[in-house]
C-alpha cells in the first residue's frame, strides 16, 4: 500500500518552525527567500514565494504549489522531493500506485523517484563462501546486518533499465508474461536481432507506438517494418514502420510475476481488429500531454475521476481526488494542477514520468537543488543500526553472487511487495532462493531467482481442468531436509506432485506428513527472461 497515509500523519503544527530551521542552515530567512523568488521569477509568477508564508501555513489548510516547491528547491539547493516530503507528500507514491492499481494497458513505471538517500535494511552471508542449496529459504542463507543508504547499493554495472507493468488488455506475450507482471527492460539493444525459425524474435521487447506500449515478441518484415506478435490471444496483426510509427525501448530480461491474479487477459475491440498506426509524437504542453496519455490508457474522464477517488482513500487525503470538470479544464485550457497531490495522481494513472510532467507545466527539473535535507527533517531515519556507508560489497559469497546475477535490484518496489503478492507482512523467511542447479518441475521456475511464499496457505490443490498458468505452485519440505517447488494436490491422504516439464512425465506420490510437508503457496516469482 502506498505510504502517503503514514507520511501525512507526520505533519505537525510546527511546520513553519521546521522550515525556518531549514532555511537557517543555508543562512536564509523567509524574507530573503521571497526576495530571491521575486528576482528570479517575478512577483506575478506562480513560482513567487510570499513573505507571509508562515502565516498561511499556520492556518493548516495551505500548502505550496508545485511551482513554489520548485522555487524553494532552487533557492535553497535542497532536493525537490525532500521539500515535497517535508509537507507530508511523497513522490515515491507514484510508482507504488502504478504497481498496486489495476491497469488496462501496459504502463511504464517511474523508477527514477526512489530516494537515493533512503535507508535500506541490508544483509550479510550466513553460510560464508559455501555453495547455496538449489532451493532454500533466504533466512538460511542471509541475516540482517544493519541499514545502508540506497545510493550505496544501486549500482547497475553501467546497464540502463526500464520497468513496465503488463496491462490486462494488451498482454500480447501471455502466458509468457502475465497481466500485472513487472518486466525489467534492458535498453541496450544489440545491432542484430535473433529470430526463431518461424520468423519471430527469440526475446520479448518493450515497444512504443501510437496506442501506447506493448511487451511482446516481434516479426521483422524487411529492414524497417516490424509486427508485434501475439503468443496466444487473437490480437490484430499490425505492421509498424521504424522509426516513424514505433520505437524499440529495450529487451525484457527479468520478470516479477504475481501468481494469485490468474484471470485471463482481455482482447479489447480496438486491439482485436485491424487498426491504423499513427506517427509517434512527443507532446510538449500539458493539455495535449494529458489528453494523449489518457487516450493511450483507454480511460474516460469519469473513469479517471473514479480511480482518483480510490487514490484519495488509499492515501487518506481528499487532495488526490480530481473531478471530471478539473480533468476537462486541464486538457482544454492547457493548465496543469496547482497542487502536488493531483500531480501525483495524474502521473500514477497516466503512466507519466514526473520529470516529463514538470517540463510540461514550465518547470526545468535541472534547476532543482541536488543536496539532501538532513534526515530528521524528512523522517529519513534507519529502522535499524546504520552500517558503514562506504562499505562496498566484496567477496564471493551467496549475496555477492546473487547481486551479480540480478545486475540491478528494483529498490523502488521495496514497499510494493504487499500489493504484488497479497502478502502484507513478508519477512526474510518467506523468500526462497530457487536459482540453483536442479531439475525444474515447472516452467515458471526456469531461470528463476526468488519465490515469495505465503506460509499460511498450506493445503495443496491441483485443478485437473485448469491450464498451467492457473495451477497453484507450492514449496515442499522433504524428510531429508531438501526443498521442492512444484504443483501438487492431495489424493486420499497422499500428496501427488504434478511435474510440468519435459524431463518428468509421471506424477510422484509422497506420504503427506511423513515424506513431505507443505511450506506454503508461492505467490510471486522473480525470474530472468530468456
Amino acid at each position: 500500500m502506498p505510504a502517503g497515509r503514514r507520511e501525512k500523519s507526520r505533519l505537525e503544527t510546527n511546520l513553519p518552525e521546521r522550515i525556518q530551521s531549514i532555511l537557517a542552515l543555508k543562512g536564509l530567512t523567509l524574507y530573503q527567500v521571497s526576495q530571491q523568488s521575486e528576482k528570479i521569477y517575478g512577483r506575478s509568477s506562480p513560482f513567487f514565494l510570499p513573505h507571509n508564508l508562515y502565516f498561511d501555513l499556520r492556518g493548516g489548510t495551505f500548502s505550496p504549489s508545485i511551482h513554489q516547491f520548485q522555487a524553494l528547491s532552487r533557492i535553497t539547493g535542497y532536493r525537490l522531493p525532500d521539500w515535497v516530503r517535508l509537507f507530508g507528500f511523497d513522490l515515491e507514491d507514484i510508482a507504488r500506485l502504478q504497481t498496486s492499481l489495476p491497469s488496462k494497458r501496459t504502463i511504464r513505471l517511474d523508477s527514477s523517484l526512489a530516494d537515493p538517500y533512503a535507508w535500506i535494511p541490508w544483509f550479510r552471508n550466513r553460510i560464508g563462501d559455501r555453495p547455496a542449496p538449489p532451493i532454500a529459504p533466504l533466512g538460511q542463507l542471509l541475516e540482517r546486518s544493519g541499514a545502508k543508504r540506497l545510493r550505496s547499493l544501486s549500482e547497475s554495472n553501467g546497464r540502463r533499465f526500464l520497468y513496465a507493468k503488463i496491462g490486462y488488455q494488451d498482454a500480447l506475450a501471455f502466458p509468457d508474461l502475465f497481466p500485472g507482471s513487472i518486466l525489467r527492460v534492458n535498453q541496450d539493444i544489440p545491432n542484430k536481432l535473433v529470430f526463431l525459425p518461424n520468423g519471430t524474435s527469440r526475446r520479448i521487447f518493450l515497444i512504443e507506438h501510437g496506442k501506447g506500449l506493448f511487451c511482446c515478441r516481434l516479426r521483422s518484415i524487411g529492414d524497417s517494418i516490424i509486427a508485434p506478435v501475439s503468443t496466444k490471444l487473437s490480437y490484430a496483426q499490425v505492421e509498424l514502420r521504424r522509426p516513424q510509427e514505433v520505437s524499440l525501448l529495450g529487451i525484457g530480461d527479468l520478470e516479477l510475476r504475481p501468481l494469485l491474479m490468474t484471470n485471463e487477459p482481455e482482447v479489447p475491440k480496438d486491439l482485436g481488429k485491424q487498426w491504423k498506426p499513427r506517427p509517434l509524437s512527443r507532446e510538449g504542453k500539458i493539455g495535449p500531454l494529458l489528453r494523449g496519455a489518457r487516450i493511450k490508457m483507454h480511460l474516460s474522464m469519469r473513469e479517471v475521476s473514479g480511480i482518483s477517488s480510490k487514490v484519495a482513500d488509499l492515501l487518506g487525503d481528499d487532495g488526490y481526488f480530481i473531478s471530471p470538470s478539473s480533468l476537462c479544464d486541464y486538457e482544454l485550457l492547457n493548465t496543469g494542477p496547482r497542487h502536488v497531490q493531483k500531480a501525483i495522481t495524474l502521473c500514477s494513472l497516466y503512466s507519466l514520468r514526473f520529470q516529463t510532467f514538470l517540463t510540461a507545466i514550465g518547470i526545468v527539473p535541472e534547476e532543482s537543488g541536488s543536496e539532501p535535507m538532513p534526515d530528521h527533517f524528512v523522517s529519513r531515519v534507519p529502522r535499524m543500526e546504520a552500517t558503514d556507508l562506504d562499505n562496498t560489497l566484496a567477496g564471493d559469497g551467496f549475496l555477492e553472487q546473487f547481486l551479480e546475477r540480478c545486475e540491478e535490484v528494483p529498490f523502488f518496489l521495496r514497499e510494493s511487495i504487499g500489493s504484488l503478492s497479497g502478502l502484507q507482512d513478508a519477512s526474510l523467511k518467506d523468500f526462497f532462493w530457487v536459482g540453483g542447479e536442479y531439475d525444474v518441475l515447472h516452467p515458471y521456475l526456469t531461470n528463476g531467482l526468488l519465490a515469495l511464499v505465503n506460509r499460511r496457505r498450506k493445503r495443496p490443490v491441483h485443478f485437473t481442468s485448469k491450464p498451467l498458468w492457473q495451477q497453484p505452485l507450492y514449496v515442499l519440505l522433504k524428510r531429508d531436509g531438501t526443498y521442492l517447488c512444484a504443483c501438487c494436490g492431495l489424493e486420499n491422504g497422499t500428496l501427488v506432485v504434478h511435474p510440468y516439464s519435459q524431463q518428468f512425465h509421471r506424477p510422484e506420490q509422497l506420504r503427506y506428513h511423513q515424506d513431505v510437508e507443505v511450506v506454503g503457496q508461492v505467490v510471486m516469482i522473480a525470474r530472468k527472461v530468456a
Side-chain angles (χ1 to χ4, degrees):
M1 177 179 174
R5 186 183 297 273
R6 181 181 70 248
E7 296 296 338
K8 191 67 177 175
S9 64
R10 184 176 53 82
L11 284 179
E12 301 175 356
T13 55
N14 64 347
L15 181 58
E17 287 73 22
R18 286 189 285 136
I19 296 175
Q20 188 176 25
S21 300
I22 291 170
L23 297 181
L25 292 175
K26 294 292 184 177
L28 294 169
T29 64
L30 179 61
Y31 180 76
Q32 291 172 323
V33 170
S34 177
Q35 283 187 315
Q36 288 194 39
S37 68
E38 181 178 4
K39 181 178 179 181
I40 296 173
Y41 301 107
R43 192 175 185 87
S44 60
S45 167
F47 294 90
F48 174 69
L49 292 159
H51 61 81
N52 61 343
L53 179 64
Y54 293 154
F55 175 81
D56 293 335
L57 292 174
R58 288 190 178 96
T61 59
F62 175 82
S63 66
S65 68
I66 306 173
H67 293 83
Q68 289 172 322
F69 277 127
Q70 170 68 8
L72 285 167
S73 175
R74 180 177 178 180
I75 293 170
T76 63
Y78 286 129
R79 299 172 64 246
L80 175 62
D82 286 357
W83 274 109
V84 170
R85 190 169 185 180
L86 179 71
F87 281 79
F89 315 116
D90 193 347
L91 296 182
E92 289 193 68
D93 279 339
I94 292 174
R96 297 183 191 119
L97 290 166
Q98 289 173 336
T99 303
S100 62
L101 295 173
S103 176
K104 292 182 180 180
R105 301 299 166 93
T106 295
I107 62 175
R108 177 178 169 182
L109 305 180
D110 195 345
S111 59
S112 66
L113 297 175
D115 182 0
Y117 300 95
W119 291 98
I120 303 294
W122 201 237
F123 312 94
R124 59 172 170 255
N125 292 312
R126 185 186 288 271
I127 61 172
D129 294 335
R130 288 176 293 160
I135 302 176
L138 283 188
Q140 290 184 6
L141 308 176
L142 301 173
E143 62 183 0
R144 296 207 171 205
S145 63
K148 285 180 174 287
R149 296 278 192 190
L150 190 152
R151 65 172 182 169
S152 70
L153 302 168
S154 57
E155 298 179 359
S156 59
N157 299 323
R159 296 288 186 93
R160 299 179 303 152
F161 294 107
L162 304 176
Y163 292 85
K165 178 183 174 183
I166 311 300
Y168 63 85
Q169 287 188 348
D170 56 4
L172 274 73
F174 175 83
D176 296 322
L177 297 177
F178 269 18
S181 285
I182 307 297
L183 182 68
R184 188 179 73 182
V185 178
N186 186 351
Q187 296 185 77
D188 295 328
I189 302 176
N191 294 328
K192 186 175 181 180
L193 305 182
V194 179
F195 292 88
L196 299 173
N198 63 0
T200 302
S201 65
R202 184 174 63 87
R203 305 295 299 272
I204 293 176
F205 287 80
L206 174 64
I207 65 172
E208 183 180 11
H209 52 85
K211 282 184 174 287
L213 301 172
F214 281 166
C215 289
C216 61
R217 290 183 169 84
L218 303 174
R219 188 175 70 252
S220 178
I221 305 173
D223 296 331
S224 61
I225 298 178
I226 60 173
V229 175
S230 176
T231 304
K232 183 180 178 68
L233 303 174
S234 56
Y235 290 94
Q237 298 295 302
V238 178
E239 297 179 357
L240 302 168
R241 294 178 301 155
R242 298 177 59 192
Q244 298 91 340
E245 297 170 347
V246 64
S247 174
L248 271 61
L249 301 183
I251 300 176
D253 78 333
L254 185 141
E255 178 195 15
L256 298 178
R257 172 175 293 201
L259 294 183
L260 291 184
M261 296 172 284
T262 56
N263 294 325
E264 191 164 359
E266 303 174 3
V267 180
K269 290 183 179 180
D270 66 311
L271 297 180
K273 61 183 180 180
Q274 204 70 21
W275 48 275
K276 184 177 180 180
R278 300 191 305 269
L280 291 173
S281 61
R282 295 288 184 269
E283 301 292 351
K285 295 184 178 181
I286 187 63
L289 177 69
L290 294 179
R291 182 177 185 276
R294 180 177 58 80
I295 291 174
K296 288 179 181 178
M297 292 296 99
H298 210 65
L299 293 169
S300 67
M301 291 183 184
R302 189 173 297 276
E303 287 176 309
V304 174
S305 181
I307 302 173
S308 75
S309 179
K310 296 180 181 178
V311 172
D313 290 340
L314 277 173
L315 300 182
D317 185 344
D318 291 338
Y320 291 91
F321 171 74
I322 309 177
S323 66
S325 60
S326 295
L327 291 167
C328 184
D329 288 344
Y330 298 155
E331 293 185 13
L332 295 181
L333 302 180
N334 202 32
T335 57
R338 175 187 180 277
H339 295 99
V340 70
Q341 300 103 303
K342 290 176 171 50
I344 289 173
T345 298
L346 289 173
C347 289
S348 302
L349 304 188
Y350 287 176
S351 183
L352 290 174
R353 298 185 74 245
F354 187 68
Q355 284 201 345
T356 302
F357 179 89
L358 291 180
T359 302
I361 62 174
I363 293 176
V364 181
E366 293 76 15
E367 294 180 350
S368 301
S370 58
E371 183 182 347
M373 277 187 188
D375 286 352
H376 62 280
F377 284 118
V378 288
S379 297
R380 196 191 286 120
V381 180
R383 298 178 184 176
M384 57 181 66
E385 183 180 353
T387 60
D388 183 8
L389 300 184
D390 298 324
N391 181 25
T392 56
L393 292 170
D396 194 30
F398 169 77
L399 179 59
E400 292 76 24
Q401 294 177 21
F402 173 75
L403 293 176
E404 182 178 359
R405 188 165 169 182
C406 286
E407 298 187 75
E408 178 183 271
V409 178
F411 289 110
F412 77 101
L413 295 173
R414 65 191 183 278
E415 293 188 26
S416 300
I417 299 299
S419 61
L420 286 170
S421 66
L423 194 60
Q424 300 297 334
D425 54 351
S427 64
L428 193 62
K429 67 179 182 180
D430 299 317
F431 287 90
F432 276 70
W433 160 251
V434 295
E437 295 292 334
Y438 62 101
D439 295 323
V440 174
L441 298 181
H442 196 288
Y444 296 168
L445 299 173
T446 303
N447 300 317
L449 294 173
L450 293 178
L452 179 56
V453 177
N454 187 337
R455 292 173 175 267
R456 291 184 287 271
R457 292 173 172 255
K458 290 182 177 291
R459 184 167 182 83
V461 179
H462 184 264
F463 302 98
T464 56
S465 61
K466 291 187 177 182
L468 169 65
W469 56 272
Q470 286 187 320
Q471 297 291 348
L473 188 62
Y474 299 90
V475 170
L476 311 175
L477 175 60
K478 301 178 73 173
R479 186 165 56 180
D480 61 2
T482 61
Y483 291 89
L484 192 66
C485 192
C487 295
C488 58
L490 288 177
E491 297 181 12
N492 299 321
T494 300
L495 189 134
V496 181
V497 176
H498 297 271
Y500 287 91
S501 65
Q502 296 179 353
Q503 293 88 354
F504 299 89
H505 301 282
R506 295 182 179 179
E508 181 182 2
Q509 296 186 0
L510 299 169
R511 292 177 298 174
Y512 193 41
H513 295 314
Q514 298 180 50
D515 296 332
V516 67
E517 294 286 349
V518 177
V519 177
Q521 182 180 346
V522 178
V523 292
M524 188 171 68
I525 288 177
R527 67 186 189 102
K528 299 286 283 186
V529 179

